[in-house]
């Protein structure tokens, strides 16, 4: 999902750790206890979570870009206020997540620097462009819808700070999906051109959204330990299927067609989608999506342009602290 | 060049219903004034609170999770500190 680069093999450094501590740790996980920052944990658990939570945070921050693109061009003041609030929420979510990641021992500055250096990933979905206003509706409806599907089980993740951040995020996220669906509904009830615009956005976003759930279970190398540690409660394919089953009736209500002619409903009521083009996913993840370079350039520019603010704030705090020390000495 | 670290603050918010300030999360800010502003923006976007405390994270002294057995054992064995330990006949009613 927001942490797709995790689907790579991990070096096993657990051999050096105390087997007794590791067993005790696993027993706590099995008993559904929450692991807290100062508790003992295997190095690989710490590493996996640091990567997962920080990638999730980077995704929230980069995710502000495609939508921010439309704030000044929202069709009404109501839509503009809602979109602005949504983008502010994404920033807040990024910050909750950085704070959760930091409890594992890596500073936010280091995490952000890794992203700006291109060493840490963010979700592939934000490397697609937002060409029309209907894209904003589609992002809220589908991208946030997919994110919620992924984040609800994370509220029960074994790592306390991550689970608590997710509870907050999920509470706020449901407005995002509803505002997106409302945009789609308005377009679909509008003129033929507006409806065509909604259909075009769905056509372009559908497959990338399905890819958000990550590679199929048959090829994902990371799931085993994440499942054992109760970081992950459902597999990529399980979540993807849940999402598709929830979304098809919503599209039908809008009168839109899912761009998958091969899709059929099976005897159990599940909507079976066609084969996903994983070459595209790999390409986008490798940096060759339509907007990868733009997104990274925008983040780097924002970071550099904000440097003087960070420096001024630090200098002011240092000056005040110095003055207080001087006064205390008098 | 690596970005220098900004101090970490813990944020506590008292909600409308008159309960005590409750820990809601943490944030980075270079001083207390900016920490309060940031806490308002990050943790009260939906009217979650009427009062905010920000505390430098370094000012917090925490109990050691490895010693929690020893730390909290004295309370665990004293079930007579709970009202349910005492028997009151049903005829007496709610007490």
């Amino acid at each position: 999902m927001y942490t797709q680069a995790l689907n790579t093999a991990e070096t096993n450094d657990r051999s050096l750790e105390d087997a007794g501590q590791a067993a005790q740790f696993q027993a706590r996980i099995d008993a559904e206890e929450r692991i807290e920052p100062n508790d003992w944990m295997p190095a690989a658990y710490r590493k996996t979570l640091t990567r997962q939570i920080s990638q999730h945070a980077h995704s929230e921050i980069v995710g502000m870009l495609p939508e921010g693109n439309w704030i000044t061009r929202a069709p009404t003041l109501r839509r503009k206020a809602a979109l602005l609030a949504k983008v502010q929420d994404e920033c807040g979510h990024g910050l909750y997540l950085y704070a959760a990641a930091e409890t594992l021992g890596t500073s936010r500055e280091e995490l952000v620097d890794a992203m700006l250096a291109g060493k840490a990933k963010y979700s592939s979905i934000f490397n697609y462009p937002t060409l029309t206003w209907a894209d904003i509706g589609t992002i809220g409806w589908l991208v946030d819808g997919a994110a919620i599907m992924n984040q609800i089980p994370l509220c029960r993740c074994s790592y306390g700070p991550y689970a608590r951040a997710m509870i907050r995020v999920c509470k706020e996220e449901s407005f995002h999906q509803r505002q997106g669906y409302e945009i789609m509904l308005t377009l679909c009830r509008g003129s033929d051109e507006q409806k065509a615009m909604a259909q075009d956005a769905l056509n372009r976003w559908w497959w990338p959204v399905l890819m958000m759930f990550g590679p199929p279970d048959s090829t994902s190398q990371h799931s085993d330990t994440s499942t054992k540690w109760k970081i992950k409660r459902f597999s990529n394919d399980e979540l993807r299927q849940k999402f598709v089953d929830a979304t098809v009736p919503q599209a039908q209500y809008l009168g839109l067609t899912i761009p998958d002619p091969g899709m059929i409903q099976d005897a159990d009521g599940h909507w079976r989608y066609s084969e996903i083009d994983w070459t595209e996913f790999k390409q986008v993840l490798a940096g060759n999506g339509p907007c990868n370079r733009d997104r990274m350039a925008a983040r780097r520019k924002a970071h550099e342009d904000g440097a003087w603010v960070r420096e001024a704030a630090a200098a002011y705090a240092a000056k005040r602290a110095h003055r207080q020390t001087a006064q205390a000495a008098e | 060049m690596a970005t220098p670290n900004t101090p970490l603050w813990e944020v506590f918010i008292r909600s409308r219903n008159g309960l005590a300030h409750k820990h809601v999360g943490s944030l980075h800010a270079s001083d207390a004034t900016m920490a309060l502003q940031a806490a308002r923006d990050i943790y009260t976007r939906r009217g979650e609170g009427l009062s905010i405390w920000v505390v430098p994270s370094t000012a917090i002294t925490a109990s050691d999770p490895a010693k929690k057995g020893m730390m909290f054992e004295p309370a665990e064995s004293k079930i007579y500190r709970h009202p349910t330990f005492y028997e009151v006949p049903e005829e007496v009613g709610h007490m």
Side-chain angles (χ1 to χ4, degrees):
Chain A
M1 177 57 70
Y2 283 172
T3 52
Q4 288 148 336
L6 287 173
N7 297 294
T8 49
E10 182 119 331
T11 49
N12 191 340
D13 44 12
R14 266 170 288 161
S15 51
L16 301 169
E17 282 166 357
D18 186 296
Q21 273 182 316
Q24 214 174 21
F25 173 82
Q26 189 59 47
R28 290 190 61 200
I29 300 259
D30 294 341
E32 294 288 334
E33 275 184 45
R34 291 284 172 274
I35 307 302
E36 295 296 337
N38 295 326
D39 294 347
W40 185 89
M41 62 186 86
Y45 180 82
R46 186 183 300 277
K47 194 173 159 194
T48 300
L49 273 170
T50 302
R51 288 173 70 197
Q52 174 160 346
I53 304 171
S54 64
Q55 286 181 30
H56 196 158
H58 302 327
S59 299
E60 298 282 357
I61 300 298
V62 177
M64 295 163 76
L65 297 170
E67 294 184 292
N69 179 32
W70 278 90
I71 292 174
T72 56
R73 292 176 288 161
T76 66
L77 185 58
R78 181 178 183 271
R79 295 283 186 223
K80 185 175 187 166
L83 183 57
L84 188 57
K86 179 177 189 293
V87 174
Q88 284 173 326
D89 273 355
E90 308 299 2
C91 177
H93 297 172
L95 295 176
Y96 309 153
L97 286 160
Y98 281 127
E102 281 192 301
T103 62
L104 292 158
T106 312
S107 74
R108 185 177 76 185
E109 286 80 357
E110 286 173 84
L111 299 170
V112 171
D113 286 346
M115 197 265 282
L116 296 175
K119 284 185 269 182
K121 299 282 183 199
Y122 55 87
S123 176
S124 60
I125 196 73
F126 302 118
N127 289 316
Y128 290 88
T130 41
L131 303 179
T132 72
W133 174 249
D135 290 39
I136 299 303
T138 311
I139 288 181
W141 171 37
L142 298 181
V143 175
D144 289 275
I148 292 169
M149 207 56 98
N150 178 58
Q151 286 166 348
I152 286 174
L154 284 174
C155 296
R156 294 185 293 126
C157 159
S158 60
Y159 188 57
Y162 193 26
R164 290 191 286 272
M166 279 298 106
I167 291 170
R168 240 192 124 75
V169 168
C170 284
K171 268 190 201 164
E172 298 180 351
E173 201 97 44
S174 74
F175 126 65
H176 298 181
Q177 194 185 13
R178 290 171 65 112
Q179 70 92 33
Y181 195 73
E182 197 194 81
I183 291 172
M184 296 306 275
L185 199 57
T186 307
L187 289 171
C188 290
R189 285 174 177 168
S191 66
D192 288 348
E193 287 91 336
Q194 285 172 317
K195 191 160 182 188
M197 192 163 91
Q199 181 65 55
D200 168 63
L202 175 60
N203 293 350
R204 283 182 288 109
W205 287 93
W206 176 253
W207 293 105
V209 165
L210 291 196
M211 292 172 201
M212 281 177 74
F213 293 92
D217 297 349
S218 52
T219 62
S220 181
Q221 294 160 314
H222 204 80
S223 294
D224 290 349
T225 42
S226 284
T227 305
K228 192 183 82 177
W229 284 332
K230 301 205 170 156
I231 295 170
K232 198 170 180 153
R233 300 266 178 178
F234 296 98
S235 77
N236 294 352
D237 284 339
E238 282 169 341
L239 287 171
R240 187 164 21 239
Q241 189 60 55
K242 268 174 98 157
F243 171 78
V244 171
D245 289 340
T247 306
V248 171
Q250 294 166 359
Q252 287 171 338
Y253 185 84
L254 292 171
L256 295 177
T257 310
I258 305 266
D260 180 359
M263 185 182 261
I264 48 155
Q265 196 172 22
D266 69 14
D268 300 323
H270 295 298
W271 290 94
R272 298 293 171 197
Y273 47 89
S274 306
E275 189 64 35
I276 294 170
D277 177 9
W278 292 111
T279 333
E280 176 182 327
F281 175 74
K282 282 178 199 142
Q283 279 296 318
V284 177
L285 211 55
N288 303 318
C291 297
N292 294 59
R293 272 174 287 269
D294 278 4
R295 301 295 185 234
M296 287 305 290
R299 283 313 309 147
R300 288 188 185 121
K301 183 174 186 301
H303 191 72
E304 282 158 21
D305 289 354
W308 72 270
V309 180
R310 293 189 295 275
E311 282 160 20
Y316 180 69
K319 188 177 83 179
R320 294 248 315 210
H322 183 74
R323 193 177 292 163
Q324 271 174 357
T325 323
Q327 274 171 354
E330 275 171 15
Chain B
M1 194 192 82
T3 317
N5 293 4
T6 313
L8 188 66
W9 303 74
E10 298 303 319
V11 182
F12 300 81
I13 290 177
R14 191 178 66 215
S15 58
R16 287 175 191 283
N17 50 23
L19 296 175
H21 284 78
K22 191 173 170 236
H23 183 244
V24 292
S26 45
L27 54 82
H28 288 275
S30 49
D31 62 35
T33 313
M34 292 188 77
L36 265 181
Q37 295 263 342
R40 198 250 342 242
D41 293 345
I42 301 171
Y43 292 105
T44 65
R45 287 195 304 283
R46 289 172 175 80
E48 287 91 336
L50 294 176
S51 166
I52 302 176
W53 290 347
V54 288
V55 180
S57 300
T58 49
I60 291 177
T61 309
S63 62
D64 182 353
K67 291 183 183 150
K68 67 173 178 244
M70 198 170 69
M71 183 89 166
F72 299 107
E73 188 283 326
E76 268 168 30
S77 54
K78 295 173 181 59
I79 50 167
Y80 46 85
R81 284 178 172 169
H82 295 277
T84 45
F85 180 75
Y86 301 93
E87 238 174 75
V88 175
E90 226 172 88
E91 299 90 296
V92 178
H94 179 72
M95 186 179 278

